[in-house]
């Protein structure tokens, strides 16, 4: 009997141990898809690892982050996953997306309403315009968690600028408006033409990434938003005078040779000496070249200087607000709460600032913009390492974000494709007509004679009517 009691005692202990093991709370594993690469991916991975080793370890939350390539590849995988085109691959728990993709996911009822897990006080900690951009649907529920935003700035090859400025007595203050950029572009073109061997063709001064931003932000700044949502319907409003001013300060200097765009990004053109100034995203600062290489032989180091985004003369300062946020995919309450835990941790002031400094993104909380002791101590080391170039941009960009009105266009179905259309229509026209101007100059016409054949009011009217008709048809067909 004693042996049986001992056996029962041992069995009881074993059962208690097994029950205790089985009742132990399992870790919550969450998967996030993003499109970060290079320095951005490295910085994000470091943050994820830190979370997993600290707060995540304490609370039983494990984050697994996977880059899906670039933004187009990520969006393609999201489409395939939601349409069940990829076997055995389900949507992740979180995904980094722009507002149009978030809207598409929300229309499929896949996105968590963040207000179910955030207090009003917590929401108020974030920049108001970032929160506003994250609201989707007729009820304007908060669906996109702001994690990293960007804007645009003017980046200048100071090394070559100094040579030009000394010879022509121009100032960087002349670069504060689009009209000023155009005038400086003309001076630079003529100055470089005078130095060329044949004296016929000069060099372009300026290039611009994301031409859609120039058109959309410019229209807003000049008085009329192109895309507006009225009574839950998309309206297209093209103002003739506004578009003419936009045309005059991009198309005209482009066909005149003052602006150009050869590579995929303006930084590619700056790298080979085709331009010395560009407007691009703060996140693109890491790609601004350290050296200019001409004809694959002659190479020399250059210094980067960043300046505020130019605006149209005599208008209120306006800059684009852009950058993806993170949506939490609907699952269980436990998983959704864990995702929010990570996102709140990631956007804490110092951590978010550190991520910003490494990537060129901007912090998302109001209080982060008061951390002057961190921002003011940043030393621009543009010629040292690529990642350090963001240090040249962040202080300026954060100051700009507080002084400029921030603009983002409301998300609508096929919004990305529509914005790509308006950019390509102006850019393709500018490129084609610039080639024709060059041909006319080579045939013996003067620069002015060649440009004047395309710079008339009649030519603008013709383009404007065609552009307007195509855009309206595109929007109607997409409904």
């Amino acid at each position: 009997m004693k042996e049986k009691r001992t056996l029962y005692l041992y069995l009881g202990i074993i059962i208690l141990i097994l029950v205790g093991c089985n009742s132990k709370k399992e870790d919550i594993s969450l998967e996030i898809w993003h499109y970060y690469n290079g320095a951005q991916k490295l910085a994000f991975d470091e943050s994820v690892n830190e979370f997993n080793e600290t707060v995540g370890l304490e609370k039983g939350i494990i984050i697994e982050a996977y880059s899906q390539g670039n933004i187009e590849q990520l969006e393609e995988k999201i489409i395939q996953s939601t349409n069940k085109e990829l076997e055995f691959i389900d949507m992740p728990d979180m995904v980094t997306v722009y507002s149009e993709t978030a809207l598409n996911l929300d229309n499929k009822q896949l996105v968590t309403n963040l207000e179910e897990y955030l207090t009003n006080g917590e929401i108020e900690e974030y920049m108001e315009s970032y929160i506003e951009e994250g609201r989707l649907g007729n009820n304007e529920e908060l669906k996109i968690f702001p994690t990293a935003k960007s804007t645009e700035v003017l980046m200048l090859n100071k090394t070559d600028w100094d040579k030009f400025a000394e010879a022509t007595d121009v100032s960087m203050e002349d670069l504060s408006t689009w009209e000023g950029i155009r005038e400086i572009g003309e001076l630079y073109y003529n100055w470089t033409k005078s130095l060329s061997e044949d004296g016929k063709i000069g060099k372009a001064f300026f290039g611009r990434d994301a031409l859609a931003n120039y058109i959309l932000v410019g229209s807003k700044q000049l008085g009329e938003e192109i895309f507006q949502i009225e009574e839950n319907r998309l309206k297209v409003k093209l103002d003739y005078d506004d578009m003419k001013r936009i045309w005059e300060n991009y198309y005209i200097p482009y066909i005149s040779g003052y602006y150009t765009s050869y590579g995929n990004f303006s930084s590619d053109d700056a790298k080979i000496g085709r331009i010395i100034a560009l407007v691009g995203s703060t996140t693109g600062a890491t790609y601004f070249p350290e050296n200019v290489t001409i004809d694959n032989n002659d190479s020399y180091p250059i210094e980067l200087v960043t300046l505020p985004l130019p605006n149209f003369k005599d208008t209120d300062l306006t800059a684009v607000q852009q950058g993806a946020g993170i949506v939490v995919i609907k699952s269980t309450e436990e998983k959704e709460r864990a995702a929010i835990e990570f996102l709140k941790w990631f956007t804490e002031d110092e951590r978010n600032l550190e991520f910003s400094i490494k990537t060129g993104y901007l912090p998302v909380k109001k209080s982060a913009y008061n951390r002057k002791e961190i921002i003011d101590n940043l030393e621009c080391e543009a010629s040292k390492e690529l990642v350090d170039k963001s240090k040249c941009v962040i202080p300026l960009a954060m100051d700009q974000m507080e002084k400029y009105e921030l603009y983002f266009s409301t998300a609508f179905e096929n919004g990305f494709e529509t914005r790509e259309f308006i950019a390509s229509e102006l850019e393709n026209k500018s490129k084609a007509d610039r080639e024709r101007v060059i041909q006319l100059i080579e045939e013996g016409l003067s620069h002015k004679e060649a440009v004047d054949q395309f710079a008339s009011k009649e030519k603008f009217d013709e383009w404007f009517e065609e552009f307007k008709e195509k855009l309206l048809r595109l929007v109607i067909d997409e409904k």
Side-chain angles (χ1 to χ4, degrees):
M1 288 293 293
K2 184 177 181 181
E3 291 178 355
K4 284 187 176 181
R5 284 198 297 273
T6 302
L7 178 61
Y8 291 149
L9 178 61
Y10 285 149
L11 288 173
I13 292 172
I14 291 171
I15 290 171
L16 286 173
I17 292 173
L18 290 174
V19 170
C21 290
N22 289 333
S23 64
K24 181 182 178 182
K25 187 177 179 181
E26 292 185 2
D27 289 340
I28 301 172
S29 181
L30 302 176
E31 186 175 312
I32 180 170
W33 289 356
H34 62 80
Y35 60 88
Y36 299 138
N37 290 285
Q40 296 172 359
K41 181 180 184 301
L42 180 62
F44 190 68
D45 286 345
E46 287 176 353
S47 294
V48 168
N49 290 337
E50 181 186 350
F51 177 84
N52 288 339
E53 293 170 1
T54 55
V55 174
L57 182 63
E58 176 188 341
K59 299 190 174 184
I61 304 171
I62 301 171
I63 305 296
E64 298 176 284
Y66 298 97
S67 174
Q68 303 301 326
N70 57 33
I71 185 63
E72 288 81 11
Q73 292 169 325
L74 170 60
E75 291 184 348
E76 178 62 26
K77 189 165 183 180
I78 290 171
I79 293 170
Q80 292 174 330
S81 180
T82 55
N83 292 341
K84 305 300 181 183
E85 296 176 19
L86 294 177
E87 193 174 1
F88 306 121
I89 296 182
D90 296 322
M91 280 291 291
D93 303 285
M94 294 176 280
V95 59
T96 304
V97 292
Y98 285 90
S99 54
E100 284 80 11
T101 304
L103 180 63
N104 291 335
L105 291 172
D106 191 43
N107 288 337
K108 296 176 182 179
Q109 300 183 339
L110 294 173
V111 181
T112 300
N113 179 7
L114 302 175
E115 290 170 287
E116 295 177 3
Y117 299 102
L118 297 171
T119 66
N120 289 336
E122 287 174 325
I123 293 173
E124 288 174 0
E125 292 177 0
Y126 295 85
M127 297 285 282
E128 292 177 6
S129 59
Y130 298 172
I131 293 296
E132 185 182 349
E133 187 178 4
R135 295 191 179 281
L136 302 175
N138 296 337
N139 296 326
E140 295 189 343
E141 295 174 339
L142 182 58
K143 298 295 181 71
I144 308 174
F145 200 111
T147 50
K149 291 294 180 180
S150 66
T151 189
E152 294 178 323
V153 295
L154 176 65
M155 296 176 232
L156 186 66
N157 167 354
K158 185 176 181 297
T159 304
D160 286 322
W161 166 267
D162 287 345
K163 300 172 188 175
F164 165 58
E166 183 178 356
T168 58
D169 195 30
V170 295
S171 168
M172 288 186 188
E173 294 178 358
D174 298 325
L175 303 175
S176 62
T177 65
W178 292 122
E179 290 84 357
I181 295 281
R182 174 181 172 173
E183 290 170 7
I184 293 295
E186 182 176 3
L187 285 172
Y188 183 78
Y189 181 89
N190 290 330
W191 178 67
T192 53
K193 182 171 71 172
S194 70
L195 301 176
S196 65
E197 292 182 2
D198 59 9
K200 288 185 177 181
I201 302 292
K203 285 187 175 183
F205 171 73
F206 175 77
R208 204 204 194 287
D209 290 336
L211 189 57
N213 287 343
Y214 168 71
I215 300 170
L216 293 171
V217 177
S219 296
K220 165 69 174 177
Q221 188 183 34
L222 292 169
E224 188 74 84
E225 270 189 84
I226 292 180
F227 301 121
Q228 301 180 25
I229 304 295
E230 295 180 1
E231 298 179 352
N232 299 321
R233 293 177 61 85
L234 175 65
K235 300 287 186 181
V236 176
K237 296 186 177 181
L238 286 175
D239 183 86
Y240 177 91
D241 291 332
D242 293 350
M243 289 303 297
K244 190 168 188 295
R245 196 164 171 184
I246 288 169
W247 166 277
E248 288 172 344
N249 287 283
Y250 186 83
Y251 172 81
I252 302 299
Y254 195 107
I255 66 169
S256 301
Y258 314 154
Y259 300 175
T260 196
S261 54
Y262 283 88
N264 292 328
F265 298 97
S266 295
S267 56
D268 298 331
D269 296 335
K271 188 174 184 178
I272 56 175
R274 290 190 181 274
I275 57 174
I276 67 169
L278 63 93
V279 161
S281 168
T282 52
T283 58
T286 55
Y287 300 100
F288 194 89
E290 297 178 357
N291 301 280
V292 167
T293 303
I294 299 175
D295 298 329
N296 296 320
N297 293 315
D298 184 17
S299 180
Y300 57 93
I302 59 173
E303 180 183 354
L304 163 67
V305 63
T306 54
L307 299 169
L309 179 72
N311 276 248
F312 285 101
K313 188 177 180 181
D314 299 326
T315 60
D316 294 332
L317 297 175
T318 310
V320 71
Q321 170 184 300
Q322 59 188 14
I326 293 179
V327 298
V328 177
I329 303 301
K330 286 183 178 179
S331 56
T332 65
E333 181 180 342
E334 189 178 36
K335 279 196 166 189
E336 290 169 5
R337 285 192 183 280
I340 300 297
E341 189 76 35
F342 167 72
L343 295 174
K344 289 197 295 185
W345 175 90
F346 179 66
T347 53
E348 290 174 0
D349 284 0
E350 289 196 23
R351 188 167 296 107
N352 209 213
L353 265 172
E354 183 180 354
F355 181 75
S356 299
I357 292 165
K358 292 177 179 178
T359 61
Y361 281 108
L362 297 168
V364 293
K365 281 193 172 183
K366 298 172 185 174
S367 52
Y369 286 77
N370 298 323
R371 304 303 293 268
K372 298 297 184 185
E373 74 278 8
I374 296 176
I375 301 164
D376 292 344
N377 288 331
L378 290 178
E379 295 182 5
C380 176
E381 301 176 30
S383 61
K384 199 171 180 184
E385 294 180 19
L386 282 177
V387 71
D388 288 329
K389 290 180 189 169
S390 60
K391 296 180 181 180
C392 304
V393 174
I394 292 301
L396 168 77
M398 290 180 69
D399 184 60
Q400 178 174 295
M401 293 291 271
E402 292 185 302
K403 293 179 178 178
Y404 281 46
E405 179 184 355
L406 302 179
Y407 171 78
F408 62 89
S409 58
T410 304
F412 57 89
E413 191 172 351
N414 296 313
F416 177 79
E417 292 81 359
T418 305
R419 281 190 281 273
E420 286 293 297
F421 165 79
I422 66 172
S424 63
E425 281 295 296
L426 181 56
E427 185 167 19
N428 292 342
K429 173 71 172 172
S430 301
K431 285 184 174 181
D433 288 353
R434 173 57 186 166
E435 290 300 317
R436 296 170 69 186
V437 167
I438 292 174
Q439 183 179 352
L440 290 174
I441 292 174
E442 291 175 345
E443 291 174 358
L445 267 64
S446 69
H447 179 272
K448 184 179 185 307
E449 290 171 334
V451 169
D452 283 350
Q453 292 198 19
F454 303 92
S456 66
K457 178 182 178 297
E458 290 73 23
K459 289 292 185 181
F460 167 74
D461 289 346
E462 180 183 317
W463 175 83
F464 177 76
E465 289 303 322
E466 183 179 352
F467 173 73
K468 184 176 182 179
E469 181 183 346
K470 285 182 179 179
L471 179 58
L472 290 172
R473 188 166 61 242
L474 175 65
V475 172
I476 292 172
D477 289 345
E478 287 179 348
K479 287 183 179 179

